[in-house]
Amino acid sequence: GQQVMQIPQYQHVQEGEDFTTYCNSSTTLSNIQWYKQRPGGHPVFLIQLVKSGEVKKQKRLTFQFGEAKKNSSLHITATQTTDVGTYFCAGPYAGGTSYGKLTFGQGTILTVHP
Amino acid sequence: DGGITQSPKYLFRKEGQNVTLSCEQNLNHDAMYWYRQDPGQGLRLIYYSQIVNDFQKGDIAEGYSVSREKKESFPLTVTSAQKNPTAFYLCASRRMDYNSPLHFGNGTRLTVT
């Protein structure tokens, strides 16, 4: 079945440092979605990428979708303590009979030290 | 306000008992999902439903059952056959267009002793 791998599993940074998490799929994705889960909370949708090679920015966050639509990354510039949480990527299956099934990566837990 | 309601927030059960987790949404979404979250393992799909009276197994359906009798409701039963039921359970919903994102409930933390 489809697998979505995310690395690293943990990342500890000092406030002000940059952070990147990577997502790789075993199959081609029609789109990739990114979610953030604050400690004790539930995942909240951040953004979706659809086109091959797409790059989107949200303030200090930059999201990229690979040319082959099998990988993606999230980069945070100059982290702040409010960035703490777990970041997940998720992709629907691009073909077959699993329409509507979203598969999540394992997530990257980000800790920011003030 | 539209949203997804999961209840209760915390649930404690003795081993060998079935337990049902509630999930209700008023977003008029067609698709609903149940995920299980364990530390360090991300979100794993248990069951999902794209239409009333129909549902599909996810990656870890064994020991769980669901029903979808109404569009708004998608309860999950954790049966005594589930070998490791203690976890954080998240319900989600979305519109049934291919690029629609998930909206999550606040989750139910189940502890079985």
Side-chain angles (χ1 to χ4, degrees), chain A residues 9-10 30-31 33 35 37 40-45 48 50 88 92-95 97-107, chain B residues 9 33 35 37 39-43 45 48 50 57-59 88 90 94 96-107 109:
Chain A
Q9 187 174 359
Y10 302 94
S30 62
N31 68 75
Q33 299 175 5
Y35 294 78
Q37 184 178 23
H42 59 275
V44 174
F45 174 72
Q48 176 175 261
V50 179
F88 294 100
Y93 191 47
T97 59
S98 298
Y99 184 91
K101 175 181 175 180
L102 279 162
T103 299
F104 280 76
Q106 299 95 319
Chain B
K9 188 171 182 179
Y33 300 76
Y35 286 91
Q37 186 171 29
Q41 294 202 44
L43 302 172
L45 183 63
Y48 65 109
Q50 299 176 63
K57 292 182 178 180
D59 301 315
F88 187 48
L90 286 157
R94 64 193 283 259
M96 266 315 290
D97 77 78
Y98 209 49
N99 295 331
S100 175
L102 287 172
H103 297 256
F104 284 88
N106 288 332
R109 193 166 296 278

Side-chain angles (χ1 to χ4, degrees), chain B residues 14-26:
Chain B
K14 293 290 185 185
E15 196 173 316
Q17 294 179 335
N18 291 356
V19 58
T20 298
L21 280 59
S22 168
C23 178
E24 303 278 332
Q25 55 101 357
N26 60 4

Side-chain angles (χ1 to χ4, degrees), chain B:
Chain B
D1 281 344
I4 300 176
T5 302
Q6 286 188 247
S7 61
K9 188 171 182 179
Y10 299 96
L11 193 52
F12 298 88
R13 280 293 183 272
K14 293 290 185 185
E15 196 173 316
Q17 294 179 335
N18 291 356
V19 58
T20 298
L21 280 59
S22 168
C23 178
E24 303 278 332
Q25 55 101 357
N26 60 4
L27 298 166
N28 199 32
H29 287 170
D30 289 305
M32 296 188 74
Y33 300 76
W34 275 104
Y35 286 91
R36 169 180 172 142
Q37 186 171 29
D38 297 281
Q41 294 202 44
L43 302 172
R44 292 185 290 169
L45 183 63
I46 305 173
Y47 268 98
Y48 65 109
S49 168
Q50 299 176 63
I51 195 170
V52 173
N53 292 324
D54 189 37
F55 45 83
Q56 288 78 41
K57 292 182 178 180
D59 301 315
I60 56 165
E62 186 174 349
Y64 298 98
S65 65
V66 292
S67 63
R68 188 87 187 275
E69 297 176 2
K70 299 186 300 180
K71 186 176 182 178
E72 303 79 18
S73 179
F74 192 41
L76 172 74
T77 297
V78 184
T79 75
S80 56
Q82 168 50 233
K83 294 178 181 176
N84 210 8
T86 295
F88 187 48
Y89 290 88
L90 286 157
C91 179
S93 71
R94 64 193 283 259
R95 296 193 321 266
M96 266 315 290
D97 77 78
Y98 209 49
N99 295 331
S100 175
L102 287 172
H103 297 256
F104 284 88
N106 288 332
T108 292
R109 193 166 296 278
L110 173 64
T111 303
V112 177
T113 57

Side-chain angles (χ1 to χ4, degrees), chain A residues 40-77:
Chain A
H42 59 275
V44 174
F45 174 72
L46 291 176
I47 206 162
Q48 176 175 261
L49 305 170
V50 179
K51 299 177 183 176
S52 169
E54 188 170 14
V55 177
K56 286 189 176 180
K57 291 191 175 184
Q58 286 181 350
K59 297 182 180 178
R60 296 178 293 103
L61 278 61
T62 302
F63 303 84
Q64 292 188 327
F65 200 11
E67 294 290 341
K69 302 183 78 173
K70 284 188 173 183
N71 56 73
S72 181
S73 65
L74 158 59
H75 179 83
I76 302 179
T77 303

